[in-house]
Amino acid sequence: MGFGFKSSPVLSQLIKVGSAFANWTHIDLSMNRLGTNLEPVIKGLKGNTRLVSLRLSNNEIGGAQNIQLLKSLVKSHPTLVDLDLSNDESN
């Protein structure tokens, strides 16, 4: 079932620079309904400079603000090469 949108701030803290998980290269956040609170997660991901692959499928991501957040992540992230948004409203 996943974490849900209320978990976004906690997920952000787990994946940001300085955390024990900041060295992860592959992160799967699929099926967590993050679409209504995606911004904290994106902020945390921007700080993870080792991230290569990110799965956000089935998260009910849609809307102009979330699309802009994802574009910003893709444009500015130094190592991200694989982003999975399958089965989302953004497709």
Side-chain angles (χ1 to χ4, degrees):
M1 186 59 151
F3 295 108
F5 68 93
K6 291 182 180 180
S7 66
S8 292
V10 174
L11 289 171
S12 176
Q13 293 299 312
L14 288 174
I15 56 184
K16 74 176 186 173
V17 172
S19 77
F21 307 104
N23 289 324
W24 286 358
T25 58
H26 297 75
I27 297 176
D28 186 346
L29 296 175
S30 300
M31 300 178 67
N32 284 301
R33 299 182 316 264
L34 299 174
T36 58
N37 198 16
L38 189 61
E39 188 170 5
V41 174
I42 297 297
K43 285 182 179 178
L45 290 168
K46 284 183 175 182
N48 181 323
T49 56
R50 295 184 46 109
L51 182 65
V52 175
S53 176
L54 174 62
R55 293 186 45 118
L56 289 173
S57 63
N58 296 299
N59 267 299
E60 302 171 5
I61 296 170
Q65 181 180 3
N66 284 338
I67 301 304
Q68 289 304 317
L69 288 169
L70 290 168
K71 282 183 181 179
S72 171
L73 176 67
V74 170
K75 285 181 179 180
S76 65
H77 203 282
T79 56
L80 183 65
V81 294
D82 180 34
L83 176 62
D84 179 1
L85 296 170
S86 60
N87 298 315
D88 269 312
E89 295 175 20
S90 61
N91 293 334

